[in-house]
């Protein structure tokens, strides 16, 4: 099943102004990373990420860091990453693209989405 990733990539590639991603995991997916980089290079002014604080799963903070930290470094002022902490658990899977596309549902950005 690749329709989740296909839909997500299509939305990123058509975004013109901003992308908001709220996700429980937000693990590394190379096609999504490449699409976000391309969008930031050519069109999108802001990518806003709201991510669950890494769980007690070995390597989970590395997965998160690997995905969004290079984007923050390459596009300072355009990529805004936030962790939710303090007993607040993110379980939503919400993505908004220019107030035009919305993805909301049960699909996390993780290896099962690819």
């Amino acid at each position: 099943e690749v329709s989740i990733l296909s839909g997500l990539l299509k939305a990123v590639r058509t975004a013109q102004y901003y992308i908001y991603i709220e996700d429980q995991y937000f693990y590394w997916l190379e096609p999504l990373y490449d699409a976000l980089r391309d969008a930031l290079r050519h069109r999108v002014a802001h990518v806003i990420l709201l991510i669950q604080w890494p769980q007690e799963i070995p390597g989970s903070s590395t997965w998160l860091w690997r995905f969004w930290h290079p984007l923050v470094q390459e596009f300072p002022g355009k990529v805004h990453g936030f962790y939710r902490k303090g007993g607040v658990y993110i379980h939503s899977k919400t993505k908004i693209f220019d107030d035009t596309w919305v993805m909301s549902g049960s699909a996390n950005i993780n290896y099962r989405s690819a």
Side-chain angles (χ1 to χ4, degrees):
E1 175 63 51
V2 295
S3 60
I4 294 166
L5 181 59
S6 296
L8 184 55
L9 292 174
K10 181 177 181 179
V12 169
R13 290 177 181 139
T14 59
Q16 296 295 312
Y17 306 105
Y18 81 91
I19 298 169
Y20 172 84
I21 298 174
E22 183 174 323
D23 196 83
Q24 182 178 2
Y25 299 118
F26 202 65
Y27 291 165
W28 172 263
L29 293 175
E30 189 169 354
L32 178 57
Y33 178 81
D34 291 343
L36 287 170
R37 280 186 77 218
D38 185 63
L40 286 160
R41 264 195 216 120
H42 300 289
R43 313 173 297 286
V44 171
H46 296 282
V47 172
I48 302 148
L49 309 171
L50 182 58
I51 306 160
Q52 175 67 34
W53 185 255
Q55 299 173 346
E56 299 297 323
I57 301 170
S60 63
S61 60
T62 302
W63 299 326
L64 285 170
W65 187 256
R66 182 179 172 202
F67 200 130
W68 69 266
H69 184 67
L71 294 174
V72 171
Q73 288 184 315
E74 187 173 350
F75 304 101
K78 292 180 93 173
V79 178
H80 315 278
F82 303 94
Y83 282 126
R84 289 296 297 246
K85 305 192 305 187
V88 177
Y89 186 81
I90 293 177
H91 199 262
S92 63
K93 294 88 173 164
T94 303
K95 293 102 178 141
I96 304 171
F97 309 87
D98 296 337
D99 289 342
T100 303
W101 288 69
V102 173
M103 296 178 77
S104 184
S106 61
N108 291 304
I109 297 175
N110 62 19
Y111 64 94
R112 292 174 288 202
S113 302

